[in-house]
Amino acid sequence: MSAANAKSYVLLQIGNRRFALPSTEVSELAPPVRLHQFPHNSPLVSGIIVRRGRLVPVYDVCPLLTGKNSPSHQFYLVARRHFGSASEPAAIPVNGDSELVTADAVQVTSPKYVSGMLMIGEESIEVLDLDSLVAAESHENNRLDYARLNR
Amino acid sequence: MKIAAQDAVKARKGRRPEAVILFTVANQLFAIAAEAVQEIRSTDSLGSALEIEQQEIAKVRHTIERSHRTYYVVNACAHFGLRVVRPTLVLMLRQIRAAILVDKIERMAEISGLYALPHAFTGAERQWYRGLAYVDDQVIPVVNPLGFLTAEEFQRLDGAMAEASRRDLERAVQI
């Protein structure tokens, strides 16, 4: 690994664990704004927040990634989710402790929602692939991956 | 990392304002285009509603005759998967033979634009809603009147009604 390959990542805290997202995918860290909810059947989607004049769906990934319910008062990390050639903003609840780091990621293949691993000091931090993590069709597979890895 | 400040939804230019009726179902606020509703009636005035014998479509239990048309009465709580509460009003729809049981009309409002439902929403809500509106700092789903009953559901209900009529006729003949 060389410094030339190092990329910028946002480290975020979800529940009691730290994860990373490529900074190129992250738009902003939003304060604990109002979560608007209405009936729907989409897995993981907990509601909508309003950011910069846009309606941003919120994906509650905490139970999937940590096995625990999300804390009630939380910040939102707004990133981009891709749908073929299109994309839209997507928010995930995090606590307020986020930081920007430059590091090399080691590629990993499993679970599917992890695209790499960062070594920050003694800590290894999973780099999330947001599209894989929240895609409705892979929701069940991700849940099973989580259960298998945490047995 | 910098935390962005909160800001309001910007009004979208060049969109035709639309009058909507804001109504509640199990304490959840919805909007429906005013022009999609032909009439609003109290459930107390529905004494003539007929109970229908069919179990396939649980959200429909009654029919109403209105202007020589049979309207299927859809319980909005059941339709949206909400806790079932006692409805007080029925919205008779203009475009389809359906009447919707709701709790309360909040008020009329004018929306300046409809926001498309984000791609994140992949379930039945894509049929339920035309999109989302932002009214008084609140995101409200704007229901699709055609989403309350599909063509296939109408076919099944019409079939169940025809079968019930046939059985009634047979009973009458036997008597």
Side-chain angles (χ1 to χ4, degrees):
Chain A
M1 284 186 285
S2 69
N5 293 328
K7 288 182 181 165
S8 177
Y9 296 91
V10 175
L11 302 187
L12 46 129
Q13 181 100 23
I14 298 176
N16 55 359
R17 290 183 61 191
R18 287 218 293 178
F19 297 90
L21 273 175
S23 64
T24 50
E25 296 290 311
V26 176
S27 313
E28 63 167 314
L29 179 64
V33 291
R34 178 177 177 183
L35 179 67
H36 300 266
Q37 294 179 299
F38 51 82
H40 67 82
N41 294 331
S42 300
L44 288 182
V45 181
S46 59
I48 290 236
I49 58 169
V50 178
R51 296 304 304 158
R52 301 182 187 279
R54 301 195 66 176
L55 306 183
V56 181
V58 174
Y59 298 88
D60 187 6
V61 294
C62 187
L64 182 65
L65 292 174
T66 69
K68 292 176 182 163
N69 289 333
S70 303
S72 56
H73 193 70
Q74 51 206 351
F75 289 70
Y76 296 99
L77 193 86
V78 182
R80 288 211 77 76
R81 187 181 166 195
H82 304 274
F83 299 86
S85 58
S87 71
E88 72 180 20
I92 54 176
V94 297
N95 79 12
D97 301 330
S98 297
E99 109 186 60
L100 194 63
V101 297
T102 302
D104 274 344
V106 179
Q107 276 206 323
V108 295
T109 54
S110 177
K112 279 185 182 162
Y113 58 80
V114 174
S115 63
M117 196 73 80
L118 299 181
M119 294 304 298
I120 308 286
E122 298 288 298
E123 191 181 5
S124 60
I125 297 174
E126 292 174 335
V127 179
L128 298 175
D129 177 338
L130 186 62
D131 291 333
S132 295
L133 178 64
V134 301
E137 58 273 22
S138 59
H139 174 238
E140 183 61 11
N141 290 339
N142 289 342
R143 198 181 59 76
L144 294 173
D145 273 349
Y146 172 81
R148 181 172 53 78
L149 292 169
N150 290 278
R151 262 204 296 259
Chain B
M1 171 172 269
K2 189 180 170 189
I3 298 172
Q6 186 174 2
D7 54 2
V9 167
K10 291 162 192 155
R12 300 203 163 179
K13 290 178 184 171
R15 297 202 177 184
R16 189 172 60 89
E18 182 177 349
V20 294
I21 299 168
L22 304 183
F23 64 96
T24 55
V25 176
N27 290 325
Q28 176 71 51
L29 190 59
F30 297 89
I32 187 169
E35 63 182 22
V37 178
Q38 186 174 330
E39 190 180 343
I40 300 170
R41 296 176 63 181
S42 160
T43 49
D44 294 339
S45 70
L46 297 180
S48 58
L50 290 176
E51 193 160 349
I52 56 172
E53 290 176 31
Q54 63 85 29
Q55 310 209 329
E56 290 179 63
I57 301 166
K59 62 187 175 185
V60 177
R61 284 274 172 263
H62 296 87
T63 61
I64 306 171
E65 288 294 326
R66 196 81 181 146
S67 308
H68 307 293
R69 294 178 85 195
T70 301
Y71 286 76
Y72 293 110
V73 181
V74 178
N75 186 314
C77 293
H79 176 71
F80 292 119
L82 297 168
R83 176 178 52 88
V84 175
V85 295
R86 189 180 169 81
T88 59
L89 295 172
V90 61
L91 309 180
M92 313 278 295
L93 299 185
R94 196 180 294 278
Q95 295 154 288
I96 59 171
R97 290 178 294 125
I100 314 304
L101 289 172
V102 305
D103 298 357
K104 194 167 71 167
I105 300 294
E106 290 295 329
R107 61 188 170 90
M108 295 283 291
E110 192 174 84
I111 57 173
S112 55
L114 198 62
Y115 292 81
L117 202 61
H119 294 294
F121 293 94
T122 55
E125 61 273 14
R126 298 213 76 84
Q127 275 74 52
W128 295 347
Y129 307 134
R130 287 171 51 213
L132 302 171
Y134 193 69
V135 181
D136 295 341
D137 295 331
Q138 199 168 356
V139 176
I140 301 169
V142 180
V143 301
N144 172 14
L146 304 179
F148 281 106
L149 284 173
T150 64
E152 193 245 335
E153 285 172 325
F154 268 114
Q155 210 168 24
R156 283 157 63 190
L157 289 166
D158 287 341
M161 288 284 284
E163 177 63 20
S165 298
R166 190 186 59 75
R167 278 200 304 269
D168 288 347
L169 188 64
E170 279 177 5
R171 270 188 227 122
V173 168
Q174 283 166 4
I175 291 167

